[in-house]
Amino acid sequence: LVGARRMVTPSRARGRAEVQAEIAAREAAARAAFGATGQRPSRILLRDSYDHQSVGRWNIKRVGGDWFHMYADDWFNTIVHLPILRLLALMCALYVLCVFVFGVWYLSFSDECGMDFGDRLEAYYFSLETMATIGYGTQDYFFGHCWEPLAIINLQVVLGLVIESLYFGIIFHRLTRGRNRQSTVLFSDKACVRRVGASYYLVFQVCELRRHHLLDARIRVFAVRHERDAHGAAYYQAHRLQLRRPHDDSGGMLLMALPQLVVHKLDAESPLVPAETWMSARGPRSWAGLARDEERATTQR
């Protein structure tokens, strides 16, 4: 299993460049083998990161609906989940636009209030000083006792505080979200089915590569399948798998400091095991079921 192999490898005895070169060579070989078979990716949850791991990207294309209003109604999460370069560009553009609009506003009554603005550039500097609370270099701090600068400066200061608080929340959310933490949590490249006595079990392994492992880690496993009957079909239905290790009754907790096995029993209640008769895309199907295998194993014993 991948997790056990990575944990056993003595990383201190090998250089980082050598390990990265080995990972790149394995990924190139995997891509070449994938292309040689003529297959196309059909996974719902893509595993396109290093060592065939997943970074949480779903291979799902959503169509239909009023996307503009749906994303606009939840504008904060829409902005937070933008790509980092697009997010930084949007934040800078919004800040500069706000400073520019207030600069033009100040310029409109600069002569009447003695603000000594010669052009838009000087008005922009004044607006930036107000927004960033740098300090003024104007001659008349009272602006000729005009009420317009007082009202606009108050408005701009409040708006600046709101924008800075919003930017702080967005950056903090991006830096502390748990998505990047999953980069050192590895799953087995392939799961296996193991027979123990008369029972079958689906087994895979998970491990944590960091020395500071996750605390109170829990795992849930789902199977996504198509369901058909005489009345029609329901596609991409998710079913939760009952786990034997770690047991669901204990909350599915894992000790991530060591490689851990995740075990699901394949029985009549498992969504991975079809019924004795079921409807497929090509019509009705049937098989003996697991009961026949259990009876055969009992007879052999």
Side-chain angles (χ1 to χ4, degrees), residues 274-288:
E276 295 186 359
T277 58
W278 78 96
M279 184 71 67
S280 70
R282 298 181 179 180
R285 293 289 186 271
S286 63
W287 72 309

Side-chain angles (χ1 to χ4, degrees), residues 52-211:
H52 201 233
Q53 298 301 307
S54 173
V55 292
R57 295 200 305 115
W58 293 86
N59 188 22
I60 298 175
K61 183 178 180 181
R62 297 169 175 84
V63 297
D66 190 353
W67 291 103
F68 176 79
H69 287 91
M70 285 189 291
Y71 279 91
D73 290 341
D74 190 15
W75 60 268
F76 181 79
N77 286 302
T78 301
I79 294 175
V80 166
H81 292 91
L82 287 175
I84 185 63
L85 295 179
R86 194 179 304 174
L87 176 62
L88 293 176
L90 178 62
M91 294 169 63
C92 293
L94 179 60
Y95 193 88
V96 171
L97 178 62
C98 181
V99 174
F100 178 78
V101 169
F102 276 95
V104 174
W105 202 352
Y106 290 129
L107 186 62
S108 63
F109 51 79
S110 62
D111 296 334
E112 294 81 358
C113 298
M115 302 184 74
D116 300 328
F117 295 157
D119 52 18
R120 294 180 181 179
L121 183 59
E122 294 181 1
Y124 182 87
Y125 278 127
F126 180 84
S127 178
L128 182 61
E129 291 173 353
T130 304
M131 194 82 163
T133 63
I134 297 174
Y136 295 130
T138 182
Q139 296 179 358
D140 186 3
Y141 291 100
F142 301 101
F143 308 110
H145 296 282
C146 294
W147 65 269
E148 292 91 346
L150 177 62
I152 298 176
I153 288 175
N154 279 278
L155 178 60
Q156 186 174 9
V157 169
V158 173
L159 182 60
L161 292 175
V162 172
I163 292 178
E164 291 174 0
S165 301
L166 180 62
Y167 284 7
F168 178 80
I170 292 174
I171 295 174
F172 181 79
H173 186 278
R174 289 297 296 262
L175 293 178
T176 58
R177 62 180 180 175
R179 181 177 180 180
N180 296 330
R181 184 63 178 84
Q182 67 185 359
S183 60
T184 57
V185 179
L186 300 186
F187 289 82
S188 303
D189 189 14
K190 295 179 176 62
C192 62
V193 176
R194 182 179 181 183
R195 180 174 179 176
V196 180
S199 301
Y200 294 89
Y201 298 89
L202 178 72
V203 183
F204 64 92
Q205 197 172 26
V206 60
C207 72
E208 166 67 88
L209 294 185
R210 288 184 180 271
R211 295 180 181 179

